[in-house]
Each structure stands twice: as structure tokens, then as C-alpha cells.
């Protein structure tokens, strides 16, 4: 009957795939290695505080915005659960003493920046013009474009036509990395701010798009946090009759005559289904669970030449203090770099969870510091010397706290809870390749390629993939990739795809 589906992984992609399969009369069963849903969209409790280790902002959190409908269909858009992101980011440069705020008004942003950096006025105008174009002509659905398995003959042409006014931004200097683009910016502070507005490797058009979305009020904060968001999708999946089994790591995808027929779990048990979907880490799916048997040149290139996002250290503090009026996202460019894992860290990202009462008891706040680090260092240390691994985590927490105390005097004596997550922690709970929590790096080349990445593997039948290693890391992108699984299955069975929403 081709009706039973096994899904590997209960991250956002796996949960979405499960929901849409259930809505379309496929019987889905998810196997998840961890004890809770969400994958990298997660949170954990420590001493009365809730630490959110995932999603920073949600794109299209309001009814009527392009991706909102998928949140509603998946039960993740209950009333009042999102709040507008008023300030995209605050950037503090310790050495110059300058502070820049990126808010939702482009005119004001342009005026502020030009008064700070008059010699870079032309560059500022150029960037703002791009953000306005993105805002006006939209990038709706670009991320969520249909995969090759679903695209009709004219879909590509239609999409090109819809985005024709933005063409100039996807080519030439705007399709270079923001780091390249800022080479000729004369003020070093502006250069740093632009470079770290997202990641230094992203194309210029991506930064313009984020600015455009911020202005359009298309970026929101999740009041209940990432795990709450994932749990509401898990609940929707269960309500639709889906089954989920936790603490069940899939070790092998069973294949007979080049057809995927089931999975073997770490406990040795085997489970069979008509269709197998992996919404887990791409590398382990292709090279471990399937032992590298189903590859073509494109896939080989992807897994040898593309770079994953850098893994992160996340230092969390539960602080007996409120932070009224502070923006939730702050980047501090340090005057004296931190020395971590044998490299220097010259900037830290500080997240202040002051926008909801869900993260801390009254009067208290979670403050989180993130920065990029090295996978091998932390993985080797955790494996070879557990005592030193723990000691290094403690030392980093101390060093980071010293730096925070400069900006939030007194914080050192107000800390009640400290928690440090390393790239090893990310790997342990999500199995993402080398602790890369957001999948592939958002380079211009990768961003242009993920929209045409196939969900199938060459030579293997009854098998599909979803998630951030297929479509790139983003909440709506991963949810859509789950939806595409059910759409492909319906298309194959010549069934009409439906979304039964309450
Ligand atoms: C810190 C951080 C901040 C982010 N911020 C944003 C943001 O602001 N906005 C945004 O849109 N996106 C953001 N993202 C990206 C987004 O959250 C992710 O791209 C998305 O959640 C990934 O979902 P996924 O299901 O593809 O993968 P994952 O979350 O990695 O889920 C994969 C699941 O598979 C399970 N699994 C793996 N191997 C096995 C196995 N062998 N057997 C069984 N189960 C297995 C894992 O345990 C996991 O639960 C952020 C990501 C991170 C890490």
C-alpha cells in the first residue's frame, strides 16, 4: 500500500514530515535518539531557569506573512506566543566606544550610520537601497521553493519572473560575501557591524533581506522558547495519530535490492516500513546509516567541499537581576580578545532573555553568551580528558563573566546558575556533523544550491531526506522540507495533498 513511513529524527523537519504524512493518510512513526523533540530547537532547565539553546528569531511570525501558515498548520502558532523583534541587534565596540543599534526604521538607520560614518555614506546608501528593494519586492517563499522532485516545468520560470526586480541583487557584487563587500568600507567599526550582522560568510543580499524583513515586522521572538515551539508541533503530530519513540538511535537504514525497507536501531531491533525518511544529520545518514553506497558527484562535492556552520560555545548565566529595556540581541566587539580553545575570540554575542517570563523566576534573567569555536578541540578534550574538559568550561564561564561585568556592573555577584554547552554537547544531543547546529554555512554558493538539492539519493528507492542538511538551516525552511516529503509521496501515489487544519 506504500502507506507506512518511518522518519529518523524528531527535529523540526522530522516532526513536520510526520504531521503532513498523517494529514495525508500515511502512517508515520518517528525514531528519535534523544529523549525529547526539537533537535537543535531545544531548551533545558537548570536551578529554576530555562536555558534556550536554539532559535533566535522566527521569520513570519504574524498572520498573513508568507510562512505563518505553516506554523498554524503545525499547531505552533497559538495566540500570543510570538512577540515582535523591535531591535534586530545592538553592536558595542569596546575599543572605539561606539554603540550602534539596528532597529526597524531604515531612514533612521541610514541617518544614524551616516552621521557616525560620513566617509562611508555611499556604501550605506547602497545597502539600504537593497534592503528597501527586498522589502518592496519580497523574497517570499524563496527559501521554501519546491524541490526538483516536485517542481513543474514552469515553476523555475515563474519564480524567476516573480523575483525579476531583485535579479541585480543575486549577481555580481551583491552575491559576494558580506566580508568581501565591506573590504572598502573605511570605518573599521562599520565594517565589523556589517560583517557580524549575521555571519561573515553570507551573501550581501542575505543581509539586505534580513534588514528588509526586520522593517516589515517579519521577525519575531518565541515567548515560550524553542522547546515549547517544538513541543506544540509534537503535540499536533500525536493528535493526528502519529507515533514517536524516543531514545531510539537509528544505526542503519535497511536496504534490499536498492530499496529502503526499514531501520535497525542501536538496541538491535529492526523496524520495517514502505518509505524511510531521514530528517537527521546528512553526513551520518548518507555515510553511516547507508554506508556511502548512494552517491553522485554532486553529493560527493557537497560533503567534501561545502563547509558546515562553525560550532558554538554557549555560556549561560541565571542572574538575580532584571534587564529592563535591554535589546535581546547584543554583539560586543572586545578590546582584548578572549583566548579559547587555542584561538582568539574578538567578539561575543549576548542574548538577554528579558522578553518573556518563561525563562526565569520573577526578578531574574537568563543571559547567554555565544561565540564560534573549534570542533576538534572540544571533541578530543571530552574524549581524552574529561576532568580538563570540565575545568576548561568553568574557566570560560569565569572569563566571559569578567567581560560581561564591564557592561553590566555587578553581574558577577548576581549569578545563581552557570551552564556551558560546547560543540560536543550539540553533537551529543542532536548528532549534527561536527557539532554544526545550523547545518551548512550560508555562503553565496551554498545558498544558491540548496534550493535545487534533491530529496532523494541516486539509485535508492523508497527513501527521502528532509531538514537542514538538505535545505539549509532555518525554521521555516526545515518545516517546509518536512511538508515536501508528504507532497512527494502524494504526487507519487497521484493523491491530492491536503492540510487538515483545525
Ligand atoms: C543556536 C541556533 C540558533 C538558531 N537560530 C535560528 C533562528 O533564529 N531562526 C531560524 O529560522 N533558524 C535558526 N536556527 C536554525 C534552525 O533552528 C535549524 O535549522 C532547524 O531547527 C533544524 O531542524 P532539523 O530538523 O533539520 O535538524 P535537527 O534539529 O538537527 O534535528 C535532527 C534530529 O534528528 C535526531 N537524530 C540524529 N541522528 C539520529 C539517529 N541516528 N537516530 C535517531 N534520531 C537521530 C537528532 O537527535 C535531532 O533531534 C538556529 C539553530 C541554532 C543551532
Amino acid at each position: 500500500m506504500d502507506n507506512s513511513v518511518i522518519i529518523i529524527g524528531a527535529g523540526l523537519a522530522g516532526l513536520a514530515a510526520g504531521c503532513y504524512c498523517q494529514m495525508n493518510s500515511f502512517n508515520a512513526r518517528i525514531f528519535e535518539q534523544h529523549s525529547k523533540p526539537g533537535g537543535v530547537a531545544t531548551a533545558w532547565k537548570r536551578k529554576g531557569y530555562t536555558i534556550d539553546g536554539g532559535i533566535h528569531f522566527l521569520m513570519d511570525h504574524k498572520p498573513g506573512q508568507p510562512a505563518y501558515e505553516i506554523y498554524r498548520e503545525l499547531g505552533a502558532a497559538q495566540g500570543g506566543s510570538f512577540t515582535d523583534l523591535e531591535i534586530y541587534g545592538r553592536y558595542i565596540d569596546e575599543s572605539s566606544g561606539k554603540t550602534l543599534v539596528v532597529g526597524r526604521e531604515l531612514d533612521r538607520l541610514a541617518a544614524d550610520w551616516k552621521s557616525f560614518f560620513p566617509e562611508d555614506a555611499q556604501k550605506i546608501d547602497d545597502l539600504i537601497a537593497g534592503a528597501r528593494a527586498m522589502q518592496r519586492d519580497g523574497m517570499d517563499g524563496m527559501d521554501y521553493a519546491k524541490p526538483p522532485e516536485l517542481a513543474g516545468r514552469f515553476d523555475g520560470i515563474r519564480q524567476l519572473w516573480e523575483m525579476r526586480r531583485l535579479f541585480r541583487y543575486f549577481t555580481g557584487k551583491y552575491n559576494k560575501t558580506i566580508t568581501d563587500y565591506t573590504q572598502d568600507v573605511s570605518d573599521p567599526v562599520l565594517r565589523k557591524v556589517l560583517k557580524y550582522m549575521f555571519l561573515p560568510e553570507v551573501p550581501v543580499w542575505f543581509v539586505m533581506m534580513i534588514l528588509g524583513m526586520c522593517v516589515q515586522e517579519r521577525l519575531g521572538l518565541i515567548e515560550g522558547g524553542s522547546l515549547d515551539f517544538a513541543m506544540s508541533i509534537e503535540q499536533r503530530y500525536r493528535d493526528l495519530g502519529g507515533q514517536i519513540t524516543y531514545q531510539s538511535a537509528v544505526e542503519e537504514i535497511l536496504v534490499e535490492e536498492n530499496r529502503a525497507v526499514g531501520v535497525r536501531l542501536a538496541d538491535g531491533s529492526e523496524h520495517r516500513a514502505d518509505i524511510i525518511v531521514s530528517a537527521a544529520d546528512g553526513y551520518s545518514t548518507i555515510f553511516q546509516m547507508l554506508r556511502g553506497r548512494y552517491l553522485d558527484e554532486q553529493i560527493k562535492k557537497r560533503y567534501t567541499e561545502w563547509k558546515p556552520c562553525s560550532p558554538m560555545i554557549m555560556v549561560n548565566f541565571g542572574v538575580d537581576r532584571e534587564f529592563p529595556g535591554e535589546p535581546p540581541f547584543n554583539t560586543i566587539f572586545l578590546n582584548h580578545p578572549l583566548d579559547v580553545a587555542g584561538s582568539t575570540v574578538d567578539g561575543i554575542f549576548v542574548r538577554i532573555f528579558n522578553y518573556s517570563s518563561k525563562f526565569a523566576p520573577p526578578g531574574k534573567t537568563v543571559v547567554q553568551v555565544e561565540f564560534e569555536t573549534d570542533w576538534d578541540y572540544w571533541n578530543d578534550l571530552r574524549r581524552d580528558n574529561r576532568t580538563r574538559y570540565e575545568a576548561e568550561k568553568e574557566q570560560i564561564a569565569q572569563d566571559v563573566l569578567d567581560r560581561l561585568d564591564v557592561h553590566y556592573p555587578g553581574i558577577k555577584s548576581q549569578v545563581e546558575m552557570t551552564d556551558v554547552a560546547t560543540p560536543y554537547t550539540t553533537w551529543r544531543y542532536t548528532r549534527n556533523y561536527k557539532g554544526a547546529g545550523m547545518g551548512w554555512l550560508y555562503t553565496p554558493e551554498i545558498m544558491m544550491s540548496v534550493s535545487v538539492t534533491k530529496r532523494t539519493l541516486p539509485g535508492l528507492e523508497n527513501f527521502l531526506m528532509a531538514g537542514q542538511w538538505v535545505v539549509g538551516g532555518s525554521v521555516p525552511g526545515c518545516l517546509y522540507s518536512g511538508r515536501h516529503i508528504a507532497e512527494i509521496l502524494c504526487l507519487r501515489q497521484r493523491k491530492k495533498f491536503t492540510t487538515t487544519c483545525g
Side-chain angles (χ1 to χ4, degrees):
M1 293 293 286
D2 290 350
N3 260 356
S4 57
V5 181
I6 282 180
I7 299 167
I8 307 167
L12 298 183
L15 291 170
C19 287
Y20 286 109
C21 280
Q22 290 298 128
M23 289 177 203
N24 286 279
S25 309
F26 295 96
N27 296 320
R29 179 168 186 189
I30 301 179
F31 288 106
E32 164 58 48
Q33 59 104 21
H34 189 21
S35 55
K36 39 188 186 186
V40 296
T42 195
W44 56 96
K45 291 217 183 284
R46 291 280 182 280
K47 297 187 179 171
Y49 291 90
T50 299
I51 299 167
D52 192 317
I55 309 165
H56 294 177
F57 54 76
L58 191 68
M59 287 173 253
D60 291 347
H61 62 296
K62 286 185 171 172
Q65 296 178 339
Y68 182 83
E69 197 51 17
I70 199 162
Y71 308 139
R72 197 184 70 82
E73 286 171 3
L74 292 171
Q78 311 91 330
S81 51
F82 309 125
T83 177
D84 287 352
L85 181 62
E86 305 273 349
I87 292 176
Y88 174 78
R90 180 171 62 175
Y91 301 84
I92 301 163
D93 183 56
E94 288 188 342
S95 42
S96 67
K98 284 181 181 155
T99 295
L100 264 70
V101 173
V102 176
R104 291 199 314 216
E105 289 171 41
L106 286 180
D107 287 339
R108 184 159 168 204
L109 187 69
D112 283 357
W113 282 11
K114 283 199 254 180
S115 72
F116 265 134
F117 315 108
E119 67 283 19
D120 289 311
Q122 214 181 335
K123 201 81 178 179
I124 293 167
D125 283 338
D126 192 43
L127 198 80
I128 298 290
R132 282 194 210 288
M134 296 285 171
Q135 178 195 352
R136 194 179 49 242
D137 293 317
M139 298 270 299
D140 306 352
M142 190 208 160
D143 240 358
Y144 330 125
K146 286 179 186 163
E149 290 88 351
L150 285 176
R153 234 188 319 162
F154 301 112
D155 281 349
I157 299 170
R158 192 168 46 235
Q159 204 183 356
L160 288 176
W161 176 251
E162 278 165 9
M163 294 175 69
R164 64 196 177 284
R165 279 187 288 270
L166 295 175
F167 270 155
R168 60 182 294 238
Y169 293 108
F170 298 120
T171 50
K173 65 175 178 178
Y174 302 114
N175 196 33
K176 293 215 166 95
T177 65
I178 189 77
T179 305
D180 284 347
Y181 177 79
T182 51
Q183 293 287 337
D184 58 352
V185 167
S186 42
D187 193 288
V189 178
L190 181 62
R191 209 178 309 136
K192 278 191 275 190
V193 170
L194 293 176
K195 207 168 139 184
Y196 289 97
M197 240 159 96
F198 201 81
L199 290 172
E201 297 85 0
V202 298
V204 181
W205 60 258
F206 186 82
V207 174
M208 292 168 165
M209 181 191 82
I210 289 285
L211 275 176
M213 290 185 89
C214 188
V215 174
Q216 285 177 301
E217 301 182 10
R218 285 178 60 188
L219 303 181
L221 298 160
I222 305 174
E223 285 177 11
S226 301
L227 184 60
D228 215 49
F229 184 80
M231 298 277 279
S232 47
I233 304 179
E234 192 232 38
Q235 188 57 51
R236 176 85 171 119
Y237 173 65
R238 286 186 189 281
D239 291 346
L240 287 160
Q243 288 181 59
I244 188 158
T245 313
Y246 288 107
Q247 293 179 308
S248 300
V250 171
E251 286 208 327
E252 187 183 347
I253 294 170
L254 304 172
V255 177
E256 290 171 4
E257 295 173 3
N258 295 324
R259 299 169 87 89
V261 295
V263 293
R264 189 169 49 74
L265 305 185
D267 66 6
S269 62
E270 293 190 357
H271 304 264
R272 295 174 82 89
D274 301 312
I275 306 288
I276 310 300
V277 174
S278 178
D281 164 65
Y283 183 87
S284 49
T285 298
I286 293 174
F287 295 97
Q288 290 166 358
M289 295 180 220
L290 285 166
R291 301 196 201 132
R293 283 170 294 177
Y294 300 98
L295 302 172
D296 57 18
E297 287 312 310
Q298 272 181 339
I299 298 171
K300 278 190 212 154
K301 178 176 177 246
R302 211 179 302 152
Y303 284 91
T304 48
E305 291 179 19
W306 286 15
K307 279 194 188 150
C309 281
S310 296
M312 310 288 283
I313 285 260
M314 213 176 258
V315 186
N316 299 282
F317 300 105
V319 189
D320 184 11
R321 161 177 178 175
E322 290 182 324
F323 291 80
E326 287 293 296
F329 304 138
N330 304 272
T331 301
I332 303 176
F333 301 116
L334 301 169
N335 200 1
H336 303 291
L338 276 169
D339 199 0
V340 178
S343 1
T344 48
V345 175
D346 38 26
I348 55 176
F349 179 69
V350 183
R351 233 177 132 179
I352 299 183
F353 290 84
N354 57 352
Y355 52 86
S356 157
S357 57
K358 299 280 175 66
F359 301 105
K364 304 177 188 223
T365 314
V366 173
V367 176
Q368 181 179 78
V369 174
E370 285 177 79
F371 51 87
E372 290 182 358
T373 187
D374 181 60
W375 160 255
D376 288 328
Y377 180 88
W378 290 104
N379 185 48
D380 295 354
L381 193 60
R382 172 65 170 69
R383 186 193 55 215
D384 300 337
N385 192 337
R386 185 77 192 265
T387 314
R388 236 192 82 208
Y389 172 81
E390 295 300 337
E392 290 245 351
K393 291 202 319 184
E394 255 176 58
Q395 185 60 50
I396 286 169
Q398 282 304 322
D399 293 348
V400 165
L401 197 54
D402 285 343
R403 302 311 179 92
L404 285 181
D405 207 62
V406 174
H407 298 271
Y408 305 103
I411 194 172
K412 272 170 89 169
S413 60
Q414 294 159 334
V415 168
E416 299 180 330
M417 176 281 296
T418 303
D419 175 274
V420 181
T422 73
Y424 177 84
T425 320
T426 306
W427 178 83
R428 181 173 166 208
Y429 291 110
T430 71
R431 300 282 172 99
N432 274 294
Y433 184 56
K434 297 194 171 188
M438 286 195 288
W440 300 115
L441 197 58
Y442 294 46
T443 64
E445 187 208 350
I446 294 178
M447 292 199 80
M448 285 297 175
S449 310
V450 285
S451 63
V452 292
T453 302
K454 285 190 176 169
R455 313 297 156 89
T456 44
L457 291 181
L460 182 60
E461 284 182 45
N462 297 351
F463 176 77
L464 293 163
M465 286 178 75
Q468 61 183 2
W469 295 94
V470 184
V471 295
S474 89
V475 172
C478 290
L479 295 177
Y480 271 97
S481 78
R483 179 182 160 131
H484 292 150
I485 297 293
E487 288 185 65
I488 293 170
L489 295 179
C490 286
L491 185 75
R492 285 181 181 174
Q493 294 194 3
R494 295 192 167 77
K495 268 193 346 194
K496 196 169 176 329
F497 173 77
T498 65
T499 59
T500 50
C501 277

